[in-house]
Amino acid sequence: MEFLSKVFDDGSLVNDLEYLGVTGGEPTMLPDLPDMVSFIIGKSRILKEISFNTNGLLTDNVLGIVKSLILITKERGIKLSVYVSLDGVGEIHDQVRGITGFFKKTSRTIKGLKEITENEKTVELSLNSVVNALNADHVLETFKFAKSIEVPINFSLVMRTTTCINSANSEVDFEILPKQTHKLIKFFSKMKMISRVNGESSLEYNYYKHVIGMLNNEPRQLVCPFADGDGCLIDPFGNVYPCGVSNELFMGNLFEMPFKKIWFNDDFHNSLPTRLRKFCVDCESNCFIHAAKA
């Protein structure tokens, strides 16, 4: 809790934090995660939503933590969005994750989460699927699986980062191959057409339009809260970044100076638009795009 105290005890986030993303790595490896979330809620006056991401491998851990998070968030009327990573069906998921039997364990976790969240009005369960070279030819199967178990699924394009997931240093080349692009454009065009029922101004419709543009090597058009300095990433080591795309955007470390001094640095924020420009134009991230639209 000492780590979180360095973020919240100076009072700089009390009246500003609206959306909190709990991610990793795998956050369920932290046994005191519910206590950490409870601490953050207690320090935040306008918090609207907490998102929780998991790979679903450790079923009992995931279900136990989500049950605790439901109790904590429901008391304050805070929305809890639970996301489970799904890279494909059966062996495809196992191949991407590098562990035999991973899909069976993740499926068991999804089933358990569906049972404990389906009657909770403030909880939303979804699947997250990152499209990459290993699963790009199987996105339709993944979509059909999600539909068969009646759990919404979000697709995003794989991206290279040097912070958070640190995919840039992966020994496996996950980048989508040119020969896979046409099939993906066709798939996402259908997804865009399906989402059109909610109107062409809907976030889902514009997101799929954005994905198709990215696959066609067009510059990013989708709004992003981080591009305007409305959010930040804090990694497990206390490093603060204006977003999770590159360690070149390092702002400071919480163990060396208070969050207020790091975040309210006029020199950094004045130079942020220029520094972000080279990353934003081809950034595929869909993190908190709903918050930016709001």
Side-chain angles (χ1 to χ4, degrees):
M1 214 63 74
E2 177 188 357
F3 175 86
L4 290 178
S5 295
K6 293 180 180 295
V7 182
F8 289 93
D9 281 359
D10 64 13
S12 53
L13 288 180
V14 171
N15 295 313
D16 294 316
L17 184 62
E18 294 185 61
Y19 300 92
L20 171 70
V22 180
T23 185
E26 176 52 39
T28 59
M29 298 299 291
L30 295 171
D32 58 345
L33 181 62
D35 292 333
M36 295 170 69
V37 171
S38 183
F39 176 86
I40 294 172
I41 289 176
K43 293 286 186 178
S44 308
R45 293 178 182 169
I46 62 170
L47 191 59
K48 297 178 180 179
E49 178 183 343
I50 294 176
S51 67
F52 171 76
N53 300 270
T54 177
N55 60 26
L57 180 62
L58 304 175
T59 301
D60 291 341
N61 276 24
V62 176
L63 298 185
I65 286 176
V66 170
K67 286 178 182 177
S68 297
L69 293 180
I70 289 174
L71 292 175
I72 295 168
T73 54
K74 187 161 61 171
E75 185 178 353
R76 280 277 301 271
I78 296 171
K79 179 182 178 181
L80 175 64
S81 297
V82 180
Y83 298 99
V84 183
S85 298
L86 184 70
D87 300 308
V89 181
E91 293 181 0
I92 299 299
H93 184 75
D94 292 359
Q95 182 184 3
V96 175
R97 293 283 155 174
I99 299 177
T100 301
F102 207 131
F103 176 75
K104 289 184 179 179
K105 294 179 180 180
T106 298
S107 297
R108 189 182 309 127
T109 299
I110 295 170
K111 180 180 178 181
L113 286 172
K114 189 175 178 184
E115 290 174 355
I116 66 176
T117 62
E118 60 184 354
N119 294 319
E120 299 290 345
K121 295 181 180 179
T122 59
V123 184
E124 187 175 276
L125 173 65
S126 302
L127 306 178
N128 271 345
S129 187
V130 178
V131 182
N132 58 75
L134 300 180
N135 65 11
D137 296 324
H138 306 276
V139 287
L140 183 58
E141 297 165 28
T142 308
F143 174 73
K144 287 181 176 179
F145 172 79
K147 193 169 183 178
S148 72
I149 61 173
E150 298 181 323
V151 179
I153 186 167
N154 311 298
F155 290 95
S156 59
L157 303 180
V158 68
M159 59 184 292
R160 289 191 174 274
T161 71
T162 51
T163 61
C164 197
I165 57 175
N166 198 14
S167 59
N169 295 323
S170 173
E171 295 180 357
V172 180
D173 189 358
F174 287 99
E175 288 194 355
I176 296 167
L177 303 174
K179 65 181 181 180
Q180 297 172 318
T181 302
H182 177 73
K183 188 175 180 180
L184 286 175
I185 290 175
K186 188 175 180 180
F187 170 76
F188 284 114
S189 294
K190 289 182 179 178
M191 296 293 288
K192 186 182 76 167
M193 186 168 61
I194 293 171
S195 65
R196 195 173 186 176
V197 69
N198 296 318
E200 294 188 9
S201 62
S202 70
L203 183 59
E204 187 179 17
Y205 178 87
N206 282 284
Y207 175 66
Y208 287 124
K209 184 178 178 181
H210 151 77
V211 172
I212 294 167
M214 291 278 99
L215 289 168
N216 281 318
N217 293 316
E218 296 173 6
R220 180 186 177 101
Q221 299 294 327
L222 200 66
V223 292
C224 174
F226 301 101
D228 293 326
D230 293 330
C232 69
L233 166 73
I234 302 175
D235 75 12
F237 307 104
N239 298 315
V240 181
Y241 304 89
C243 74
V245 70
S246 175
N247 56 20
E248 291 182 35
L249 298 169
F250 173 74
M251 297 181 69
N253 185 279
L254 290 167
F255 293 105
E256 297 175 359
M257 65 184 81
F259 180 79
K260 183 179 288 187
K261 188 174 181 180
I262 295 173
W263 188 246
F264 295 98
N265 183 322
D266 289 339
D267 290 338
F268 184 89
H269 279 285
N270 288 338
S271 66
L272 185 58
T274 302
R275 298 180 70 176
L276 278 174
R277 193 170 296 137
K278 73 173 183 176
F279 300 109
C280 290
V281 67
D282 59 358
C283 176
E284 299 97 343
S285 175
N286 62 352
C287 290
F288 287 103
I289 54 174
H290 64 296
K293 192 173 179 64

